[in-house]
Amino acid sequence: MTGGAPEARARGGRKGVALAAVGAQWGDEGKGKIVDWLAVRADLVVRFQGGNNAGHTLVVDGEKSVFHLVPSGILQPGTVNLIGPGVVVDPRVLLRELGELEAKGVLRDPARIRVSGRAHVILDWHIALDKARDEARAEAAIGTTGRGIGPAYEDKVARRGIRVADLLDPAALRRAVDRLAKEKNFELTQLYHWPAIDPEALFEEYVELGRRLGPYVDHTGRILEQALRAGKNVLFEGAQGSLLDIDHGTYPYVTSSNCVAGAVCTGAGVGPTRIDGVLGITKAYTTRVGGGPFPSEDTGPKGEWLGERGVEFGATTGRKRRCGWLDLVVLRDSSIVNGFTSLAVNKLDVLSGLAEIPVATAYRLDGKLTHEFPMTLDELARAEPVYEVLPGWDEPLTGIREYGALPANARRYVERIEAILEVAVDMISVGPGRDETIARRPLFGPRG
Ligand code: IMP
């Protein structure tokens, strides 16, 4: 969809591109690397959901940076990076990341990062409750990142949350903290036998955090609207992935926000008619951290091999990721829910050296073949992946920059994904570095 010809004419003919880049699996698809790469042409990079449960690893000139809250466009000079109202913000984490960026000389102008005053704040209570509850779930633990994400979203939806703008208004913050204290401490101490959190100390600390965050707080929706009107290129950066989406994922083993492309509209504050394309980001295989179903998981030596080759450890919690094969049933579901117009396939290089590569194309459920991703956990537990086995390749891919230079079987692998999903693979990543990327079709025009 486009903003429409009359509007483009009114802007003097220039129509920037508004592109959503979202995870197609269970998160950790390598969105940060792709967003960083695309941000060379983006004027604005916008986070719209999630919080510091995300971990985006970027490698530029051999130097690794991990961000949890700051959008991955920050390392590209000339971008403005927004944290939209749909994000939950831990002010300590954000200030730490901003401090590191300032120390590295990457962030000289606070105007390069803007945080919505409407975004909700993660408080110490949320972090403690997140951990206490997941511990209490014992074997049924979701394996959350323990960053307070779920409890913060709960308070938002229950209409008792604290927003970034409240941090700048001590009187409002005082009232909100007092409102929360009784209930939160009751739950912590009585239900989980955790120590209470002193509301007075919390208030004092968050007033100070608000004071430091003040120069970055803004009406991000307005900045976004102005950029779209001016024909700028806008990149919306998803966190987590489609299968971790609260409505469309493997509930309850999901995160507490919507992470599909539709969440761009609500989480950033932009109408669906303004989004031009949706880039689905997938690994060339599949990983998952935390509990929950994962039909194509390989718990044997091959899965172990994938984990070692792919260095599959969480960027946020350092946990070892569960590994398995590419699951096209998952990706088909993801493609429908997100409306992918393009795909980026990451870590294709990791598969070099396998004689054969299985790819799940269907499931067998109660004796019947299905291409649909099952609805319930019970069905998912009974679903057995049906694999198509594709021939592998031995050559290392990391030095390759042209699609045509890939080994024939690597191309065949990519083209099989395209054929089954009916979506073009426009980007392929062959290593963690910014330049270790094959771009088949430009997704953005020049900056506006
Ligand atoms: P939460 O988002 O911390 O509540 O965790 C809920 C589930 O989502 C857990 O299984 C986490 O491991 C998973 N999760 C949350 N964020 C990410 C991410 O950025 N990548 C991968 N998994 C994630």
Side-chain angles (χ1 to χ4, degrees):
M1 270 181 284
T2 69
E7 218 183 306
R9 271 199 300 277
R11 287 192 298 255
R14 186 181 157 82
K15 166 80 178 79
V17 171
L19 180 73
V22 294
Q25 300 166 308
W26 279 280
D28 305 323
E29 297 91 351
K31 295 177 289 293
K33 171 187 159 157
I34 298 292
V35 168
D36 168 65
W37 194 90
L38 286 170
V40 120
R41 293 205 155 173
D43 298 286
L44 227 57
V45 179
V46 188
R47 277 278 311 261
F48 55 92
Q49 50 73 227
N52 59 314
N53 46 350
H56 298 149
T57 309
L58 312 181
V59 182
V60 181
D61 300 331
E63 198 190 334
K64 190 168 138 176
S65 315
V66 182
F67 300 116
H68 301 283
L69 262 175
V70 169
S72 303
I74 199 74
L75 295 185
Q76 293 286 9
T79 55
V80 170
N81 293 265
L82 307 183
I83 296 182
V87 176
V88 283
V89 174
D90 184 330
R92 279 189 213 122
V93 174
L94 182 54
L95 286 164
R96 193 194 315 133
E97 291 186 357
L98 295 176
E100 281 166 20
L101 288 163
E102 276 162 14
K104 278 187 185 171
V106 174
L107 185 63
R108 293 207 175 87
D109 178 6
R112 281 199 61 221
I113 175 133
R114 308 276 82 205
V115 185
S116 171
R118 289 179 174 156
H120 277 249
V121 174
I122 297 180
L123 303 165
D124 291 340
W125 281 307
H126 298 136
I127 298 170
L129 282 169
D130 192 9
K131 293 178 181 161
R133 287 185 193 155
D134 221 30
E135 253 176 50
R137 286 186 194 107
E139 275 96 78
I142 291 167
T144 73
T145 59
R147 303 297 193 259
I149 307 296
Y153 275 117
E154 279 172 41
D155 277 349
K156 165 178 164 167
V157 176
R159 295 165 293 186
R160 58 180 175 226
I162 292 178
R163 307 202 292 179
V164 167
D166 297 328
L167 298 183
L168 311 187
D169 178 350
L173 182 62
R174 173 92 260 180
R175 285 193 299 275
V177 168
D178 288 346
R179 257 199 321 270
L180 282 175
K182 216 166 152 189
E183 190 181 310
K184 298 288 163 210
N185 277 337
F186 180 84
E187 190 178 349
L188 264 182
T189 57
Q190 302 303 302
L191 219 50
Y192 300 112
H193 311 294
W194 274 50
I197 290 169
D198 175 14
E200 201 54 49
L202 185 144
F203 168 75
E204 297 291 339
E205 187 185 357
Y206 279 77
V207 167
E208 173 57 15
L209 291 170
R211 192 191 59 72
R212 290 171 56 205
L213 209 54
Y216 299 96
V217 179
D218 219 320
H219 190 323
T220 54
R222 210 158 284 158
I223 299 170
L224 178 55
E225 165 61 7
Q226 280 162 4
L228 289 167
R229 274 184 182 278
K232 306 270 185 195
N233 288 331
V234 180
L235 183 57
F236 297 97
E237 176 183 22
Q240 292 82 50
S242 201
L243 275 289
L244 286 173
D245 181 282
I246 184 82
D247 289 310
H248 306 286
T250 45
Y251 190 89
Y253 295 96
V254 292
T255 190
S256 297
S257 65
N258 285 110
C259 6
V260 296
V264 164
C265 299
T266 52
V270 63
T273 48
R274 291 299 188 89
I275 315 292
D276 300 293
V278 180
L279 174 69
I281 304 173
T282 175
K283 267 181 193 154
Y285 49 97
T286 310
T287 63
R288 166 161 212 177
V289 254
F294 177 1
S296 67
E297 182 171 16
D298 188 330
T299 52
K302 287 254 173 70
E304 203 53 39
W305 182 89
L306 277 175
E308 272 164 35
R309 286 266 309 183
V311 199
E312 294 296 351
F313 293 91
T316 299
T317 58
R319 287 180 290 177
K320 197 170 168 181
R321 296 178 182 142
R322 299 154 64 192
C323 296
W325 306 107
L326 192 69
D327 187 336
L328 292 167
V329 182
V330 162
L331 289 186
R332 202 182 290 109
D333 189 76
S334 213
S335 185
I336 293 166
V337 187
N338 288 286
F340 293 148
T341 51
S342 252
L343 285 170
V345 173
N346 275 330
K347 291 192 151 181
L348 190 63
D349 54 302
V350 171
L351 300 181
S352 292
L354 289 168
E356 293 184 322
I357 313 172
V359 178
T361 52
Y363 295 158
R364 195 170 300 284
L365 178 61
D366 303 332
K368 289 202 192 96
L369 200 68
T370 176
H371 293 94
E372 301 257 323
F373 194 70
M375 187 90 74
T376 66
L377 287 185
D378 270 0
E379 284 176 335
L380 261 169
R382 294 201 305 276
E384 284 169 35
V386 176
Y387 289 107
E388 179 175 315
V389 178
L390 297 172
W393 59 90
D394 280 329
E395 301 87 328
L397 308 185
T398 301
I400 297 175
R401 299 289 173 270
E402 295 294 327
Y403 183 70
L406 284 172
N409 284 344
R411 275 182 278 132
R412 189 167 160 183
Y413 191 80
V414 169
E415 284 156 28
R416 193 71 191 114
I417 298 171
E418 292 184 313
I420 292 188
L421 300 180
E422 299 179 71
V423 183
V425 172
D426 287 327
M427 288 180 76
I428 297 166
S429 169
V430 288
R434 183 185 269 171
D435 61 324
E436 287 159 351
T437 307
I438 298 172
R440 295 174 74 193
R441 189 172 69 101
L443 296 171
F444 276 127
R447 274 184 176 162

